[in-house]
């Protein structure tokens, strides 16, 4: 692949994604097979004035082995140093930001006892609550950026020779991440502006609820909390530094009122959960909580997803993405949430972003509960937007405002 384009992509991820500032530490999460790209990111971060670049390597083959063979109680035993290896830098006066490289085999845990995976995922989430607090409140700027691996490329482009599949996945990633001969920062200005202005429009409406319908059977009403905030495009740290948490991003999103979701919603894309695929599913809500669900494939995993903890059965995000998004238009199913969630309207089970309600970042757990902002140790985005999705906004005095018509913004 074009090394210059890869360098440009790394620079964009460092400068606009995690937006590392002079004197700040950058922590990179990198699967071992992405070491070359991690080094490029490190070079770019030092060039941007980083105090230090700390790389945490992982190895999905070793992770699979552990999941298969480690002693059961070892799966629960997440040592405090794992969280400290992030938060000790974030607490330091010079601060730290994150860059995670996503490159996983979507089915790395295929065939492994789902209960063991669930157990390990819960233990890890429980052990990382302080870390999530830094990240989800944007105190630690963060970004996720993806690069192809042989196994991932083969899943997206089955039947092609390995090298060709990887090449095609690079091309697809560059295309939807707007990496071309021009400056990517420039390329992103117009789409970011559009997302910001949609968010501003929705913020000015302060809707009481959204009603989402589609011919596939989706008929879902999502209540929105008082003083909710729609966000989208780039985000800002408490110090006002702009960063791009997901590369790419096409969504405008907010936190639902965790107590006021009613009705049925159908999935429109398979969902990679804990290294396996859940396919063709629906979920029914009452009083904000999942009360019934069904999946054609891996219903057991769907059950685990919505019962990881109390908050996992409630919604922590509603995100609006038009069917005209470049990722949806590419027609590619990426089997990676980073891309697939930006092809389609989605909801997330679990934790809401506290920044999605006024004053949320400073609220205690009790205050978040009272505001309807969902809390959980998980956050799982599932795709529910279809080409024919209609969304009505319902105002506090009962007026209907068209938000989406036929899968795209109504106005
Ligand atoms: Zn989202
Ligand atoms: Zn999400």
């Amino acid at each position: 692949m074009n090394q210059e384009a890869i360098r440009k992509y790394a620079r964009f991820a460092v400068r606009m994604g995690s937006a590392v500032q002079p004197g700040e530490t950058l922590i990179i999460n990198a699967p071992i097979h992405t070491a070359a790209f991690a080094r490029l990111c490190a070079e770019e971060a030092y060039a941007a004035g980083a105090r230090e670049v700390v790389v945490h390597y992982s190895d999905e083959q070793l992770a699979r082995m552990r999941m298969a063979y480690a002693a059961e109680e070892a799966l629960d035993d997440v040592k405090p140093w794992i969280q400290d290896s992030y938060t000790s830098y974030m607490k330091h006066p010079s601060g730290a930001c994150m860059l995670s490289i996503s490159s996983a085999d979507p089915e790395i845990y295929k065939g492994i006892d789902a209960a063991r995976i669930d157990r390990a995922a819960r233990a890890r989430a429980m052990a990382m609550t302080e870390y999530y607090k830094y990240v989800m409140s944007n105190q630690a700027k963060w970004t996720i950026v993806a690069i192809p691996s042989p196994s991932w490329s083969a899943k997206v482009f089955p039947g092609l020779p390995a090298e060709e599949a990887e090449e095609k996945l690079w091309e697809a990633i560059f295309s939807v991440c707007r990496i071309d001969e021009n400056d990517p920062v420039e390329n992103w200005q117009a789409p970011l502006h559009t997302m910001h202005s949609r968010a501003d429009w929705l913020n000015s409406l302060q809707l009481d609820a959204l009603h989402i319908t589609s011919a596939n059977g989706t008929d879902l009403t999502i209540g929105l909390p008082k003083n909710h905030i729609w966000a989208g495009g780039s985000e800002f740290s408490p110090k006002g530094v702009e960063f791009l948490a997901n590369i790419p991003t096409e969504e405008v999103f907010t936190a639902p009122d965790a107590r006021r979701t009613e009705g049925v919603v159908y999935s429109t894309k398979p969902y990679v959960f804990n290294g396996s695929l859940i396919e063709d599913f629906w979920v029914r809500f009452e009083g904000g909580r999942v009360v019934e669900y069904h999946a054609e494939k891996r219903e057991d995993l769907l059950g685990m997803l919505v019962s990881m903890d109390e908050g996992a059965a409630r919604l922590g995000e509603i995100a609006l993405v038009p069917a005209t998004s470049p990722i949806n238009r590419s027609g590619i199913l990426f089997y990676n949430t980073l891309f697939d969630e930006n092809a389609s309207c989605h909801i997330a089970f679990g934790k809401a972003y506290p920044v999605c309600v006024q004053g949320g970042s400073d609220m205690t757990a009790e205050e978040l509960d009272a505001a309807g902002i969902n809390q959980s140790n998980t956050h799982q985005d599932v795709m529910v937007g279809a080409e024919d999705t209609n969304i009505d906004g319902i105002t506090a005095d009962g007026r209907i405002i068209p938000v989406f018509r036929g899968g795209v913004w109504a106005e």
Side-chain angles (χ1 to χ4, degrees):
M1 194 58 205
N2 178 346
Q3 287 307 311
E4 203 178 312
I6 295 175
R7 162 77 68 177
K8 198 181 248 192
Y9 186 48
R11 183 179 307 140
F12 179 68
V14 167
R15 301 238 176 187
M16 180 116 196
S18 46
V20 64
Q21 300 297 297
E24 240 175 7
T25 297
L26 176 68
I27 305 173
I28 300 178
N29 284 329
I32 191 91
H33 64 266
T34 68
F37 187 75
R39 288 182 208 118
L40 275 183
C41 292
E43 271 178 33
E44 290 297 334
Y46 283 123
R51 172 182 184 263
E52 187 184 10
V53 179
V54 177
V55 180
H56 291 347
Y57 282 118
S58 59
D59 179 336
E60 63 180 15
Q61 296 300 330
L62 282 178
R64 183 182 164 89
M65 260 183 249
R66 173 176 181 264
M67 217 53 99
Y69 306 120
E72 189 102 320
E73 35 79 28
L75 297 178
D76 297 332
D77 192 13
V78 183
K79 299 296 185 199
W81 66 260
I82 296 180
Q83 174 164 273
D84 287 348
S85 70
Y86 299 98
T87 51
S88 55
Y89 292 101
M90 292 167 179
K91 285 176 194 160
H92 188 276
S94 51
C97 52
M98 297 288 313
L99 188 156
S100 295
I101 302 171
S102 165
S103 189
D105 176 347
E107 297 188 284
I108 187 63
Y109 293 147
K110 195 178 181 180
I112 290 184
D113 180 3
R116 282 175 60 90
I117 300 167
D118 184 50
R119 186 169 177 164
R122 278 172 199 248
R124 188 171 169 90
M126 287 286 288
M128 298 292 280
T129 50
E130 195 185 13
Y131 165 79
Y132 288 125
K133 220 177 149 203
Y134 275 95
V135 169
M136 292 195 79
S137 64
N138 293 341
Q139 267 181 283
K141 297 182 271 58
W142 56 283
T143 195
I144 311 175
V145 63
I147 74 166
S149 69
S151 51
W152 180 25
S153 309
K155 180 78 192 171
V156 180
F157 298 107
L160 288 183
E163 239 169 73
E164 208 177 307
E166 209 165 329
E167 188 83 2
K168 271 188 92 103
L169 187 52
W170 266 123
E171 280 167 17
I173 290 172
F174 284 160
S175 166
V176 300
C177 295
R178 300 183 170 92
I179 305 295
D180 58 19
E181 61 284 355
N182 301 319
D183 177 2
V185 176
E186 282 302 310
N187 290 345
W188 274 92
Q189 292 313 305
L192 289 178
H193 178 77
T194 304
M195 285 177 253
H196 287 151
S197 55
R198 298 293 187 200
D200 290 347
W201 175 61
L202 288 167
N203 284 333
S204 73
L205 291 174
Q206 278 298 306
L207 296 167
D208 178 61
L210 296 174
H211 180 216
I212 306 174
T213 52
S214 164
N216 64 14
T218 290
D219 186 346
L220 188 73
T221 301
I222 298 179
L224 299 176
K226 284 210 164 57
N227 300 321
H228 62 270
I229 297 171
W230 289 89
S234 51
E235 297 183 48
F236 292 86
S237 73
K239 285 182 183 160
V241 178
E242 185 181 23
F243 70 101
L244 209 52
N246 288 338
I247 299 173
T249 185
E250 303 289 340
E251 62 173 345
V252 174
F253 65 95
T254 193
D257 185 328
R259 302 157 297 196
R260 293 200 294 131
T261 303
E262 306 285 341
V264 178
V265 65
Y266 280 75
S267 70
T268 52
K269 286 182 192 296
Y271 184 60
V272 179
F273 177 62
N274 287 350
S276 296
L277 283 172
I278 308 172
E279 293 180 61
D280 298 318
F281 54 99
W282 58 260
V283 172
R284 192 163 68 78
F285 292 87
E286 268 178 32
R289 203 172 188 289
V290 174
V291 290
E292 201 183 348
Y293 58 86
H294 172 74
E296 288 299 317
K297 278 194 193 152
R298 300 306 306 265
E299 187 171 283
D300 61 326
L301 286 185
L302 181 58
M304 285 180 179
L305 190 159
V306 298
S307 59
M308 273 185 77
D309 57 25
E310 174 55 30
R314 296 176 186 272
L315 293 187
E317 180 185 346
I318 166 71
L320 307 184
V321 180
T324 49
S325 98
I327 297 154
N328 195 44
R329 274 191 318 224
S330 78
I332 297 169
L333 182 61
F334 283 87
Y335 297 102
N336 181 323
T337 303
L338 180 60
F339 295 89
D340 294 332
E341 73 164 343
N342 286 301
S344 163
C345 291
H346 54 270
I347 53 176
F349 297 98
K351 187 164 173 54
Y353 293 90
V355 292
C356 287
V357 67
Q358 267 173 40
S361 296
D362 301 322
M363 285 183 183
T364 62
E366 291 71 30
E367 289 167 334
L368 287 169
D369 269 341
I373 302 302
N374 201 29
Q375 298 179 75
S376 166
N377 286 320
T378 191
H379 179 99
Q380 308 284 341
D381 299 275
V382 302
M383 283 50 87
V384 300
E387 299 281 336
D388 71 342
T389 292
N390 287 334
I391 303 176
D392 283 335
I394 304 166
T395 64
D397 55 3
R399 283 174 302 125
I400 303 287
I401 296 180
V403 175
F404 258 52
R405 286 293 177 265
V408 297
W409 291 95
E411 59 153 30

